[in-house]
Amino acid sequence: MKSLKNFLKSKAYKTIPLRFTKTNHFEVTAFINGVEGRFILDTGASNTCIGVDKIDVFKLTQESSEIKAAGAGAIEMETFIAKNNTIELGKWSKKRQEIVLFDLIHVNQALLNHEAEPVDGIIGADILKKGKAIVDYSKKRLYLK
């Protein structure tokens, strides 16, 4: 029987390595507009997000948004939208990607409180759905098509 990796490779999936953190999250390296960053993989987050303090770093153009963000103990946070971005995870990429921008200080403070490294953002279900994601928890791999 084929391994999951070989089976998914035969179906044109790309393999992206994941790192397991001290906070029991998977972390992934992603390139946004050609700039490398550290992101939490969050299947429960509806959108991919980057901290507002990273707008210039990732060459984002912000637009106002009526959407309010919530999560990790914070609610009703003001958000912005950055449109027409390129995201790359390993050899998988997506152009014209919208990214939600908001203050991730509460997320990074929680990580620091557990002696984990802060992140630039969150890879959410929008990307996972577009890439028909499969997460192999035992092998610490993300597969995207």
Side-chain angles (χ1 to χ4, degrees), residues 23-39:
T23 57
N24 292 327
H25 290 97
F26 275 129
E27 193 176 271
V28 62
T29 299
F31 288 82
I32 308 294
N33 300 325
V35 179
E36 182 176 359
R38 175 184 293 145
F39 292 80

Side-chain angles (χ1 to χ4, degrees), residues 28-96:
V28 62
T29 299
F31 288 82
I32 308 294
N33 300 325
V35 179
E36 182 176 359
R38 175 184 293 145
F39 292 80
I40 289 174
L41 183 70
D42 188 346
T43 61
S46 54
N47 295 294
T48 295
C49 310
I50 292 180
V52 291
D53 59 326
K54 304 292 183 173
I55 289 171
D56 292 335
V57 172
F58 289 103
K59 306 171 194 169
L60 303 168
T61 303
Q62 74 181 32
E63 298 178 19
S64 61
S65 171
E66 297 295 320
I67 299 168
K68 298 291 182 187
I75 58 170
E76 292 297 311
M77 293 179 291
E78 185 177 357
T79 66
F80 300 94
I81 297 289
K83 296 181 179 179
N84 297 317
N85 300 287
T86 300
I87 182 166
E88 299 170 76
L89 292 116
K91 293 183 178 181
W92 183 90
S93 67
K94 178 76 174 124
K95 295 181 179 178
R96 297 183 304 279

Side-chain angles (χ1 to χ4, degrees), residues 8-26:
L8 292 174
K9 185 177 180 180
S10 74
K11 301 292 182 189
Y13 276 82
K14 308 295 183 196
T15 305
I16 298 106
L18 300 170
R19 296 174 300 282
F20 201 63
T21 69
K22 292 179 182 180
T23 57
N24 292 327
H25 290 97
F26 275 129

